[in-house]
Amino acid sequence: MVDVELYGGRRGLLEHARTRTLYALGAYRSVRDIEWDAVQRLVLVCKGNICRSPYACAKARSLGVQAISFGLDAAEGAPADAAARQNGLLRGMDLSGHRSARLESARLANRDLVIVFEPKQITYVRKRVGDGTPTQLLGICSRPVRPHIQDPFGMSDRYFQQCFSVIDASIAALVEHMARSGAPAISGPTPENPDESVARRNWRDGMLG
């Protein structure tokens, strides 16, 4: 029997099954092909900017990648959700300084990559920032592919940890793509090796260790 809690409840499981099927049939082609060497900054966008996107942003920054986050339906200046803060700390991510912001307040640049957590968010983002802005579904970087990452707001700590685990794996895959391509989103050199960026070094250490 499928453990629905690991998908964010029955709705999350149904969306997972539906979007996995669509992906297998060739959907989401517009977000599959990314010119990684042109990515200068990650822009993480979810619904309220208090759970998924702030955690993903913190994870990306911890790996040496330039990143910011926004919400499609966020209140300006709200802290991260209490459960998100608690579960983030368990994974080494401190979200206490986060304050939510709306996507409309973003000043997007030409080399930004907007990353969303649900396929339906692609349409919302493109209506607000234009079709020409490169957009990615975070979960299609994960293995196995998970196009829909259900919002953990109001859910159990167990699902928060599952959700953040999927985000961790997906962000790590993004960093790997950028490290291989030499993307400018990756931060500057480390003291140990002035020719190697933080993210490349983290990716290399993970591959070797």
Side-chain angles (χ1 to χ4, degrees):
M1 180 178 292
V2 176
D3 189 343
V4 298
E5 189 178 13
L6 295 180
Y7 295 90
R10 180 176 174 79
R11 178 181 177 277
L13 176 60
L14 290 174
E15 281 299 299
H16 169 73
R18 185 180 70 86
T19 56
R20 276 290 300 270
T21 299
L22 289 172
Y23 179 86
L25 292 173
Y28 320 129
R29 292 184 185 279
S30 64
V31 299
R32 290 193 191 191
D33 298 324
I34 301 296
E35 296 181 9
W36 295 104
D37 59 351
V39 178
Q40 189 160 350
R41 183 174 62 171
L42 304 183
V43 181
L44 287 307
V45 180
C46 67
K47 181 181 178 181
N49 193 214
I50 57 173
C51 294
R52 292 171 292 182
S53 59
Y55 178 82
C57 183
K59 183 65 179 181
R61 289 175 176 175
S62 76
L63 296 176
V65 175
Q66 299 175 42
I68 55 176
S69 69
F70 297 94
L72 292 169
D73 191 26
E76 290 282 353
D81 174 65
R85 295 198 305 270
Q86 177 183 339
N87 282 280
L89 282 175
L90 293 175
R91 307 181 74 87
M93 295 295 110
D94 184 1
L95 306 183
S96 62
H98 172 77
R99 294 297 179 269
S100 63
R102 295 182 64 83
L103 182 60
E104 287 84 352
S105 66
R107 294 183 178 180
L108 300 183
N110 290 335
R111 303 182 80 176
D112 285 343
L113 174 62
V114 177
I115 300 173
V116 297
F117 297 78
E118 304 173 32
K120 67 180 181 182
Q121 293 171 342
I122 298 171
T123 301
Y124 297 154
V125 164
R126 288 177 174 169
K127 284 182 179 178
R128 298 185 187 190
V129 303
D131 290 339
T133 301
T135 309
Q136 171 78 303
L137 270 170
L138 181 62
I140 67 173
C141 297
S142 180
R143 293 295 180 269
V145 170
R146 195 156 171 165
H148 179 89
I149 302 176
Q150 179 69 20
D151 189 353
F153 180 73
M155 297 191 180
S156 67
D157 289 338
R158 183 168 180 247
Y159 178 63
F160 260 100
Q161 286 298 313
Q162 175 68 11
C163 177
F164 286 176
S165 178
V166 172
I167 290 174
D168 282 352
S170 301
I171 291 292
L174 279 171
V175 171
E176 179 178 342
H177 285 303
M178 290 187 290
R180 288 182 181 275
S181 66
I186 295 175
S187 65
T190 64
E192 296 89 341
N193 185 347
D195 296 323
E196 184 175 34
S197 73
V198 173
R200 280 194 197 88
R201 182 168 177 270
N202 287 338
W203 167 72
R204 174 180 57 77
D205 289 348
M207 292 293 289
L208 296 177

